[in-house]
Amino acid sequence: MGLAKNTGKTVTLIVLLQELGAAGRTVGVTSVGRDGEEHDVIDSRIEKPRVRLLSGSLVATTDDLLRASGIPHELLERTAVRTPLGRVLIARLRGSGAIEVAGPAAAADVRMVSDAMLAHGADQVLIDGAIDRRAASSPEVSDGLVIATGAILSRDPAEVVARTRDAVELVRLAEVGRGGDDGLALRAVAGRSLLLAQDREPVELEPRFVLTSDAAAIGRLLDASPEARRLTVAGALPESFLDGLLLALRQRRRELAVVVADPTRAFLTRHGPGWYAAQGVQIEVLSEISLRAVTVNPVAPRSHTLDSAELRALLRAAIPGVPIFDVLHPEYRGAPR
Amino acid sequence: MRRELDLTAVTPYADHMGDGLVQMSFTLPVPYSLAARKAALELAGKMGFEDPEVVHYEQLTAGYTYFVMYGRCVQTVDFSALRGEGFDIEYLSEDEIDRFAEEHIGRRIVVVGASTGSDTHSVGIDAMLNLKGYHGHHGLEGYRAFETHNLGSQVPNSVLVAKAIEVGADVILVSQTVTQRNLHIHNLTELVEMVEAEGRRREMILACGGPRVTNELAKELGYDAGFSKGTYPNHLATFIVRELAARVSAPR
C-alpha cells in the first residue's frame, strides 16, 4: 500500500519478487490498480518500472494485458470480474517476462483471486495497491502489509515523517480486548452501530447516522445515554463524524471509545489516531493489520530528492518496531525472513 | 505511392495511405519573425515529425506568433491489438437501452451522481443525468430505465455514500476535475474506499468522469469505468445496463 502515487510500491513489489524468486518460492501476483505500465497515468512524463515475472508464477490480470505480454501461459480460470481494462483471468506463466498486472478492484474479489492462486499452487500471493487505496490491506483480504512512503509527500523530511507516522498509527490501531470478555462481547455485535454502556441495553444508531450526523445530532445521542463509554461503528468512520463527535464530547466534558471493524474503515486525513486519543476519542479495531515493513522512496519524480539515510533514521526514531528499508539503496541487503 | 491499409501499423492519412501527414497548430510566445519560424520548425523536429513545414504563420499579438504546420509522423500503432472487452462496445440508443433494461433487469436502475469534494463544477454530471442533457441527447433522467438522483457539486463522500445506500443505488457516478494535485485523486479514491468500508462495493457500479479520466486512470482509482470528453448520456447508459445485466446473470 502506498501513501500516495510514486512512493515506490511497484519497485518494492519488484524487489520482493526477486527475493522470493531467489528463495525458490512460487509467487502469485495481482494488483488492485495496474502495475508495470510504461508511463504514469497522471503524468505521462514519469516512466514506471516494469514488472518481470518468472516462469511458473501465477498472475491475476486482464485478458488484454496477458495477451499483450506475449508470455506463454496456461489459463487456469476465467473469473466473472470485469474491470475497465478487461476481464480478469488467472494464469500460470510458462515463460518469464515483463507483464502489466491489473486485477480486481473490490476487496472481496481481490481475496477471491488470491485464494484461487494459492489453491493453484502459489506459496505466497503479493497484492499491489494503487495510489493511496487501503481496502486490500484489510485483514479480511491480506495477512500482512508493507507500506510505501517517500519524498513525494513533502519537500520537508519532517513532514514526510509526520504523515508516515500518522498513517502507520492508523494501520497499527490495537485490537480491542483481545481474548477478554470485553472483546468477545464486542465481536458478538460486529456489523451493528451501537452506543454501549456498562449494565445498560445498547442503543442502536439510526441507519447511516455515522455518515451524515453533525455535532448537534451526536450531542442528542450522547445525552440520551449519559453512561455510554463506547460506540461501535458497522461501516465507515468519516472524519466529519469525528469532528462532530469531538465537539459534542467537549461540550459535555465526556470521553468515548469508537470501535471499527479494522483500520481500513477509519477515514482520517487531517490528524492521526494519537491526536484524537489525546482529545478524548480512542479509536479501536476488532481486527488489526499486521504491518511487516515500511519502504522509503527518497526521490519525488520531476521534483526533489531527500537523503535516504537521514530520512530512514528520522522514520526509525518516529516509528519504532517496524523495519524500514530503501530497497534501492546500496546498503539494502534484502528483507529478513 | 499507394499502399494497402495495414491495421498492425496505422499512421495518419492525408493524401495517400501511410503518408503519416499531420496538420497542427500552436502559438509560441516569441515575436513574429524569421527566427520564430525557425524555432517552430526546430520544435516540430524535436516532436519527432519528419519534413516539418510551416504553411502559415502570423502575429497573434505583440510578442506571440501563431503557426500552422505540416509534418510527417513516422510512428505507427497496432490497431489490430486494440480489441476485446472495453473496445468493442456498440452504443445503444435511448429506446434500445430502455428495452434492454426492461428485458434484462426488469426494474428501474437507480443512479446517484455528484461532483465530489471541493469540485465546484457540476456540468459533467448535469449533462449525464438531467433531462436537458446536452447536444440534443437526453440525460438519464429522461429514460424510462433510470431513476436518477443528482446531488450537485461539492458533495462530501460520506454524504454521497449515505444517499446511495438510502435509495438503494445500483450506480454511483462522480465527476471530478483530475489534475496532478493529489487532493483531487484522493477525493476519488476515498469514495471507493468508503463504499468498501460500508461493505457495498460488489453491489454498486462506480463510474467516474472528468476531462482527463481514462479507463486506465479509472482502474487505478478503483472504479468500474471512466468517462471523458465526448461521452454522451447513452454511452454511459449503455455501459450501465450491460454491466448490470452481466452482474445479474453471473453473480459473484
Side-chain angles (χ1 to χ4, degrees):
Chain A
M1 176 183 97
L3 298 191
K5 281 191 73 68
N6 298 311
T7 48
K9 284 186 299 289
T10 305
V11 168
T12 298
L13 174 71
I14 289 166
V15 169
L16 275 173
L17 285 170
Q18 286 165 355
E19 291 175 17
L20 290 167
R25 306 262 289 172
T26 299
V27 181
V29 181
T30 188
S31 170
V32 303
R34 51 201 273 274
D35 245 303
E37 71 277 22
E38 287 180 63
H39 295 282
D40 188 88
V41 69
I42 304 279
D43 186 343
S44 62
R45 296 168 302 188
I46 299 175
E47 279 191 38
K48 309 285 272 188
R50 307 302 310 272
V51 173
R52 278 187 61 83
L53 294 181
L54 295 175
S55 182
S57 302
L58 290 103
V59 66
T61 191
T62 67
D63 40 11
D64 284 351
L65 296 174
L66 192 58
R67 191 174 53 238
S69 76
I71 304 174
H73 57 267
E74 172 194 349
L75 180 63
L76 300 173
E77 281 183 40
R78 229 178 117 73
T79 74
V81 179
R82 289 165 307 276
T83 79
L85 302 181
R87 183 184 291 269
V88 176
L89 308 179
I90 297 173
R92 190 191 324 273
L93 301 186
R94 290 287 176 220
S96 303
I99 185 168
E100 202 177 310
V101 183
D109 291 329
V110 176
R111 178 64 197 242
M112 187 263 293
V113 299
S114 300
D115 284 343
M117 287 191 282
L118 292 170
H120 284 293
D123 296 317
Q124 185 165 359
V125 170
L126 299 177
I127 302 164
D128 200 35
I131 312 181
D132 56 359
R133 287 163 55 198
R134 300 180 295 147
S137 70
S138 163
E140 288 177 12
V141 179
S142 46
D143 301 318
L145 172 67
V146 176
I147 286 182
T149 186
I152 192 83
L153 295 182
S154 173
R155 287 177 179 276
D156 176 7
E159 178 67 18
V160 175
V161 171
R163 288 188 51 190
T164 306
R165 187 199 53 220
D166 282 354
V168 167
E169 252 183 32
L170 178 58
V171 154
R172 287 165 124 187
L173 282 172
E175 246 178 59
V176 58
R178 187 200 293 220
D181 289 348
D182 212 20
L184 287 175
L186 284 169
R187 277 167 188 76
V189 297
R192 296 168 68 189
S193 293
L194 302 171
L195 196 56
L196 303 169
Q198 199 77 37
D199 306 321
R200 297 283 164 101
E201 273 298 298
V203 177
E204 185 120 30
L205 273 56
E206 294 288 316
R208 303 176 297 282
F209 183 89
V210 176
L211 290 176
T212 54
S213 295
D214 58 10
I218 297 167
R220 286 192 293 277
L221 178 77
L222 291 173
D223 290 341
S225 301
E227 311 294 319
R229 293 286 174 269
R230 206 173 240 150
L231 173 70
T232 65
V233 174
L237 174 64
E239 200 158 48
S240 56
F241 181 81
L242 286 170
D243 289 344
L245 181 62
L246 271 185
L247 190 59
L249 288 171
R250 268 192 207 136
Q251 289 163 349
R252 289 160 182 79
R253 300 181 185 285
R254 287 173 64 176
E255 297 197 349
L256 195 74
V258 179
V259 187
V260 290
D262 66 58
T264 67
R265 313 302 171 102
F267 293 83
L268 311 182
T269 52
R270 291 197 302 279
H271 305 288
W275 186 88
Y276 284 102
Q279 311 289 313
V281 176
Q282 189 80 39
I283 304 171
E284 303 169 320
V285 297
L286 294 179
S287 313
E288 64 185 10
I289 289 175
S290 169
L291 178 64
R292 307 293 172 88
V294 174
T295 64
V296 185
N297 175 11
V299 180
R302 300 189 61 87
S303 179
H304 57 279
T305 300
L306 301 176
D307 183 83
S308 172
E310 185 194 327
L311 189 55
R312 277 177 288 138
L314 290 170
L315 284 165
R316 268 187 208 108
I319 305 168
V322 182
I324 292 170
F325 306 112
D326 172 357
V327 294
L328 292 187
H329 197 271
E331 283 169 13
Y332 177 69
R333 292 286 173 268
R337 34 190 77 254
Chain B
M1 185 169 85
R2 180 173 292 276
R3 292 205 329 231
E4 292 295 306
L5 170 61
D6 177 3
L7 286 179
T8 66
V10 172
T11 193
Y13 166 98
D15 297 323
H16 50 81
M17 196 60 75
D19 62 16
L21 275 186
V22 171
Q23 177 181 321
M24 61 188 145
S25 62
F26 54 82
T27 301
L28 292 181
V30 299
Y32 174 74
S33 60
L34 280 176
R37 187 176 180 282
K38 180 75 178 77
L41 284 168
E42 201 174 312
L43 193 59
K46 286 183 175 170
M47 289 180 200
F49 289 105
E50 290 196 350
D51 310 324
E53 194 182 331
V54 174
V55 291
H56 174 79
Y57 71 124
E58 65 183 56
Q59 172 171 304
L60 264 190
T61 180
Y64 292 85
T65 310
Y66 173 73
F67 296 89
V68 177
M69 294 191 62
Y70 289 162
R72 199 157 58 78
C73 171
V74 292
Q75 307 294 334
T76 63
V77 292
D78 182 355
F79 185 77
S80 65
L82 301 179
R83 275 179 294 135
E85 288 175 72
F87 286 116
D88 53 6
I89 289 179
E90 281 175 26
Y91 296 117
L92 305 176
S93 69
E94 185 176 336
D95 279 349
E96 289 169 329
I97 288 163
D98 283 340
R99 274 202 304 275
F100 184 94
E102 206 164 69
E103 193 178 324
H104 292 89
I105 296 145
R107 59 172 176 79
R108 292 184 96 192
I109 300 161
V110 183
V111 182
V112 174
S115 299
T116 63
S118 57
D119 205 324
T120 53
H121 302 281
S122 65
V123 183
I125 285 290
D126 292 347
M128 288 301 128
L129 293 187
N130 292 3
L131 179 61
K132 183 165 159 268
Y134 77 123
H135 280 203
H137 295 251
H138 271 168
L140 267 48
E141 190 183 2
Y143 288 60
R144 271 183 289 124
F146 296 102
E147 170 189 326
T148 60
H149 302 264
N150 184 351
L151 307 191
S153 65
Q154 292 185 289
V155 180
N157 284 322
S158 51
V159 172
L160 178 55
V161 172
K163 184 71 180 179
I165 294 170
E166 185 192 336
V167 300
D170 299 296
V171 184
I172 298 181
L173 175 64
V174 289
S175 82
Q176 173 90 71
T177 310
V178 175
T179 67
Q180 282 161 28
R181 290 172 52 202
N182 269 316
L183 171 71
H184 296 135
I185 298 174
H186 179 74
N187 271 329
L188 287 169
T189 55
E190 191 190 69
L191 174 71
V192 175
E193 301 274 292
M194 228 172 244
V195 173
E196 283 273 13
E198 286 289 321
R200 309 277 178 155
R201 183 62 187 90
R202 274 174 159 178
E203 296 166 21
M204 291 181 186
I205 295 172
L206 303 185
C208 58
R212 293 169 53 122
V213 175
T214 58
N215 269 329
E216 282 74 17
L217 179 61
K219 175 71 186 78
E220 287 216 19
L221 294 167
Y223 286 74
D224 296 307
F227 295 94
S228 184
K229 275 208 167 74
T231 301
Y232 286 107
N234 71 304
H235 300 171
L236 173 67
T238 300
F239 163 74
I240 291 172
V241 294
R242 288 231 166 104
E243 176 65 22
L244 210 54
R247 290 187 185 195
V248 167
S249 69
R252 319 210 273 281

